[in-house]
Amino acid sequence: MYNDLKGKVAIITGGASGIGRATAIRYAKEGVHVVINYHSREDEANKLIDIIKALGVDALAIQADTTNKNEMEHLMNATIQHFGAFHIMVNNAGIQSDIPSHTMSIEDFDKVINVNLRGTFIGCQLALNHFMERKFKGSIINISSVHEIIPWPHYAHYSASKGGVKLMTQSLALEYARVQIRVNNIAPGSINTPINAENFKTQEDKHDADMFVPMGYVAEPDEIANVAAFLASSESKYITGQTIVADGGLSLYPSHRNFEYDELLDEFTDKI
Ligand code: NAP
């Protein structure tokens, strides 16, 4: 538990599902009041509000498309009207699509860049202004991906967007370090969320995905929420401009693994 988080207010974009939802629940357990931004999942957002309130903190669900600055301003204003201020901004909303690059339309490319990069910038900019006006040592947490470093065929738009988030985060962190506003990334590996529904459709697909990860399993989203709690808390107050990679070793060139050695190690661990 991070005691300094108690009573703070966090906005989480794309908060009604997957990593955003898990982060909202983790923050609520830390005593953080949570604003859930949703795009189309109104029912899930409202159900989550009930879960969060049952944990003893206040919560609000607000619809906004993160690519639209006016809608994002509405999200901030509604938050400020209800809670007075906010201290933590989690830019989590993201999309992906599997398209060979030679057939990718410019519309497909723009759509992913818009949500993953432009939407993240809009969230960062609004949070920076709010924190500076109030002289808050706020924390901005962007959810990038291991594909900010690992190339991904068929996902050129996605990997470009996440690579962009990485350098944007570093640039903003340097720009606002003097006023103690921290900007960091979390780069998840393979996480069991709706964005991967297609990739983990069959038990075999899921098993293959588990086996591809050096630690032997696709993680549940609460493993990313744990990092989001750390980065929001003052325990990480000297960390800015960093990406914390949470991927079970996926970014360690897993194709260089010798699977026979894995079997030799099996006797030293409980089966996952
Ligand atoms: P998810 O459950 O599909 O979450 C994505 C969320 O983003 C959804 O709630 C979605 O809402 C929202 N969203 C999409 N476009 C939006 C927009 N224009 N405005 C507002 N919200 C929007 O998948 P997830 O895995 O939790 O993804 C969260 C983040 O983690 C994403 O940035 C993703 O790239 C990143 N990530 C995930 C993995 C993984 O393995 N799961 C790995 C690396 C990085 P609607 O459905 O209502 O549109």
Side-chain angles (χ1 to χ4, degrees), residues 17 19 39-41 65-66 92 144 158 162 189 191 193-194 196:
S17 65
I19 291 168
H39 188 224
S40 62
R41 299 172 194 258
D65 177 344
T66 55
N92 164 75
S144 60
Y158 183 83
K162 296 299 188 176
I191 316 297
T193 70
N196 280 323

Side-chain angles (χ1 to χ4, degrees), residues 26 33 38 42 52 55 60 88 90 104 124 134-135 138 142 173 176 183 216 222 227 252 266:
R26 174 61 197 263
H33 307 297
Y38 65 92
E42 188 174 4
I52 290 172
L55 290 165
L60 208 58
I88 303 156
V90 183
M104 188 181 289
C124 287
R134 313 264 168 148
K135 299 193 173 152
N142 297 326
Y176 298 97
V183 193
D222 55 335
V227 185
L252 301 175
D266 275 354

Side-chain angles (χ1 to χ4, degrees), residues 6-261:
K6 209 169 166 35
K8 295 261 167 71
V9 177
I11 297 178
I12 304 174
T13 67
S17 65
I19 291 168
R21 182 181 187 279
T23 300
I25 292 171
R26 174 61 197 263
Y27 280 1
K29 288 179 179 167
E30 296 283 351
V32 176
H33 307 297
V34 187
V35 178
I36 302 296
N37 154 252
Y38 65 92
H39 188 224
S40 62
R41 299 172 194 258
E42 188 174 4
D43 285 353
E44 281 102 321
N46 288 329
K47 280 185 204 145
L48 181 58
I49 295 300
D50 292 341
I51 293 169
I52 290 172
K53 285 187 173 170
L55 290 165
V57 294
D58 199 1
L60 208 58
I62 300 172
Q63 201 276 337
D65 177 344
T66 55
T67 67
N68 182 315
K69 192 162 180 197
N70 291 337
E71 293 186 22
M72 287 294 280
E73 277 169 347
H74 166 71
L75 168 67
M76 306 280 164
N77 291 337
T79 300
I80 293 164
Q81 199 173 11
H82 189 85
F83 288 108
F86 63 94
H87 315 85
I88 303 156
M89 179 78 204
V90 183
N91 292 302
N92 164 75
I95 55 171
Q96 67 184 41
S97 52
D98 176 349
I99 311 174
S101 298
H102 63 285
T103 66
M104 188 181 289
S105 70
I106 297 306
E107 289 73 24
D108 289 329
F109 184 85
D110 285 347
K111 197 173 165 191
V112 169
I113 296 287
N114 272 340
V115 177
N116 297 3
L117 184 55
R118 174 192 157 99
T120 300
F121 178 71
I122 293 173
C124 287
Q125 191 185 51
L126 291 170
L128 285 165
N129 276 299
H130 180 68
F131 296 158
M132 284 196 295
E133 269 164 26
R134 313 264 168 148
K135 299 193 173 152
F136 281 176
K137 297 172 184 174
S139 177
I140 299 175
I141 300 163
N142 297 326
I143 307 297
S144 60
S145 164
V146 285
H147 296 294
E148 71 166 46
I149 41 176
I150 303 177
W152 200 13
H154 286 209
Y155 293 82
H157 48 355
Y158 183 83
S159 46
S161 72
K162 296 299 188 176
V165 169
K166 174 186 164 59
L167 211 53
M168 182 177 78
T169 297
Q170 290 174 303
S171 302
L172 295 176
L174 183 57
E175 199 168 338
Y176 298 97
R178 180 66 72 187
V179 288
Q180 312 296 312
I181 296 172
R182 299 183 300 115
V183 193
N184 289 292
N185 278 335
I186 303 173
S190 199
I191 316 297
N192 191 14
T193 70
I195 213 171
N196 280 323
E198 197 57 31
N199 297 340
F200 304 155
K201 212 160 48 188
T202 66
Q203 263 192 333
E204 203 185 347
D205 292 338
K206 177 67 173 32
H207 176 76
D208 289 348
D210 283 336
M211 288 305 105
F212 192 64
V213 179
M215 290 186 86
Y217 66 97
V218 167
E220 293 303 317
D222 55 335
E223 306 236 30
I224 305 305
N226 294 341
V227 185
F230 170 66
L231 285 177
S233 81
S234 61
E235 296 281 302
S236 62
K237 71 185 168 64
Y238 207 47
I239 298 178
T240 194
Q242 302 305 309
T243 293
I244 297 191
V245 179
D247 70 346
L250 199 57
S251 51
L252 301 175
Y253 299 94
S255 58
H256 282 251
R257 205 160 30 138
N258 184 326
F259 288 89
E260 284 171 24
Y261 295 165

